[in-house]
Amino acid sequence: MILNLYHKIKHKWMKLRLQPIRVFCLHHVCKTYDETTMYQGDWMQIDEFKAKVLSMQQNGVEFISLSDAYKHICNDHVRCKKYAVLAFDDGYASLKEILPWFEEQQIPATLFINGKYLDGKSYRKNPNEKYLIKEELFSLTSPLIEIGSHGWEHKRATEMTAEEFAESVKRNIGLLSGHPNYIPFWAYTYGSHSNNTDDYLHRQGLVPIYIDGMKNYNEIKVIHRELL
Ligand SMILES: [Zn+2]
């Protein structure tokens, strides 16, 4: 009872001194929704997206890279500024529409990539999906772009054996760590994770990333994400 109260007060105090860092999860941001290559829930109209980002900036939000966000999460004792991160999953080819705007606006973004799809083929349910190919991904060397992991294939971590998960980590990191902008962060596909997969990632020096709608304060073992 007293311990509970102590934790409640501690948590309140933490929220008072630390502005949360929001990490947003996105997929397709482009002009037109194409039902043959996209799932509607994964698509945001590009002008709507730009308006949202600009309006957040006008409201004092600074968009920073995931690496910088993590440094803040690890080191800040007091945080007054509102920071946010934009992160795109799956490495779809539609990214080519929005990436030039990030350069123009000097806004950083993180891409979470499945290594297997960089050969340009789709192995997923929708065979028409279009992905960035390896040459395209490896030519993204702007300091604004960071490359993290989303698994070798787009499979749920909790539906793999420990060996399969370890192999997925090994293969994906083996490929992506050759990218000059690689960062050791692992965004779980579908947010599917367990204590075992988290422990494994930690042992490999990777920070697990959930998609649980939560914001980040000072927890260094995991990054939380939400939808924009
Ligand atoms: Zn995904």
Side-chain angles (χ1 to χ4, degrees), residues 27 89-90 114 124 150 154 188-190:
H27 293 84
D89 284 5
D90 301 9
N114 301 106
R124 292 173 64 184
H150 199 40
H154 204 277
Y188 284 116
T189 44
Y190 309 104

